[in-house]
Amino acid sequence: MSNSARPPKRRMFGPGTTIEDLKTYMGPFAASLGYRFNTEAEFVDEVLASELEILEATGDVYCPCRIRTGDPKEDVAIICPCIPFHREQFAAIRKCWCGLFIRTDVSDGAELLGVMDEPEAGTPIDIPVCRVSDLKPGSVRHVKVGKNDLAITRVGDEFFAVSNICRHAFGPLGDGVMEGYELVCPWHGWRYDVRDGTTDHPGSDLRVQPLFIVNEYVMIRTSA
Ligand code: SF4
Ligand code: FES
């Protein structure tokens, strides 16, 4: 079962919402994904003030630097903080599009204000998937980062990532349970060794992806 800490459930805002309300909710949400508010405090207040105007006009905190399509299914990807929807892009430019949020490893947010070029195809990008403290030993969780659909887990102080999809009948391994180094599928109990993805079922090994730790965050490496 996915039993580790999650980003806070998305909050709806309404009349009377203040900039402080937004900060109180968005700060921990962004931190759980490896981001923090820009170090330029005045800029942060300006962006959040724009979001409050948009909230009053539209009923939600849509991004001030994106154009809404009018289709709620598409526009959900630009409700602030939209980091979960654009993790590869933001990891590559080390901030969200507006610059309201910067990666926690950026010390001076002023450097990242303004439009930034996307990296060239093939450039390695390191993406935070969760905080170390959010993944307790023995827990499993599902993470989707761009093309990577993974079950990540922790055994002691070792971190592992395997494909989220069980090779038996596509069960969700991110909802499985750990027994030692074995991840047990929640549907019919197939077992996989998370160190190398192997299973007793011939030809059904899982793809594994290395994880590493930077500044208290569990990271994966992918490419632009
Ligand atoms: S780009 Fe930044 S400011 Fe805009 S919605 Fe996403 S997180 Fe919020
Ligand atoms: S789908 Fe995983 S064991 Fe059947």
Side-chain angles (χ1 to χ4, degrees):
M1 155 183 336
S2 308
N3 50 3
S4 57
R6 301 261 177 223
K9 202 168 177 332
R10 183 167 130 58
R11 248 193 80 180
M12 294 301 295
F13 295 99
T17 296
T18 64
I19 286 181
E20 282 315 308
D21 293 335
L22 295 183
K23 284 183 179 170
T24 303
Y25 161 68
M26 292 179 180
F29 186 98
S32 70
L33 299 167
Y35 289 79
R36 62 183 172 130
F37 280 116
N38 197 305
T39 48
E40 296 295 293
E42 226 174 276
F43 172 76
V44 167
D45 285 350
E46 279 169 22
V47 175
L48 294 178
S50 303
E51 292 192 2
L52 287 183
E53 284 173 20
I54 294 169
L55 171 66
E56 200 174 309
T58 68
D60 216 331
V61 282
Y62 290 104
C63 184
C65 64
R66 297 281 119 179
I67 295 170
R68 292 183 299 284
T69 66
D71 176 350
K73 280 195 190 138
E74 273 193 52
D75 289 344
V76 74
I78 55 165
I79 292 174
C80 196
C82 68
I83 301 163
F85 292 96
H86 314 288
R87 286 172 84 166
E88 281 185 315
Q89 282 164 289
F90 293 174
I93 58 176
R94 301 191 298 147
K95 61 165 195 152
C96 72
W97 289 310
C98 295
L100 176 62
F101 295 102
I102 55 176
R103 280 174 52 149
T104 51
D105 56 355
V106 174
S107 53
D108 182 5
E111 285 175 9
L112 299 182
L113 293 182
V115 177
M116 300 191 61
D117 290 337
E118 297 276 336
E120 279 177 30
T123 307
I125 309 172
D126 295 339
I127 304 182
V129 292
C130 69
R131 276 185 294 219
V132 168
S133 56
D134 288 342
L135 196 60
K136 306 289 180 222
S139 67
V140 188
R141 68 188 290 182
H142 173 219
V143 297
K144 192 154 182 3
V145 181
K147 323 180 257 296
N148 300 284
D149 190 15
L150 301 169
I152 62 170
T153 183
R154 174 175 179 176
V155 182
D157 281 329
E158 297 176 275
F159 295 82
F160 303 97
V162 295
S163 162
N164 183 52
I165 308 298
C166 180
R167 298 290 303 274
H168 175 220
F170 313 116
L173 292 172
D175 290 336
V177 291
M178 290 301 294
E179 291 182 8
Y181 283 103
E182 283 192 325
L183 171 56
V184 184
C185 178
W187 283 6
H188 316 99
W190 275 31
R191 291 168 172 270
Y192 299 91
D193 189 319
V194 293
R195 292 171 290 191
D196 55 11
T198 52
T199 177
D200 287 343
H201 304 275
S204 300
D205 294 352
L206 290 177
R207 182 174 58 83
V208 295
Q209 180 140 351
L211 296 176
F212 54 99
I213 309 297
V214 177
N215 293 338
E216 290 303 303
Y217 284 89
V218 181
M219 314 279 293
I220 62 166
R221 174 158 290 187
T222 179
S223 59

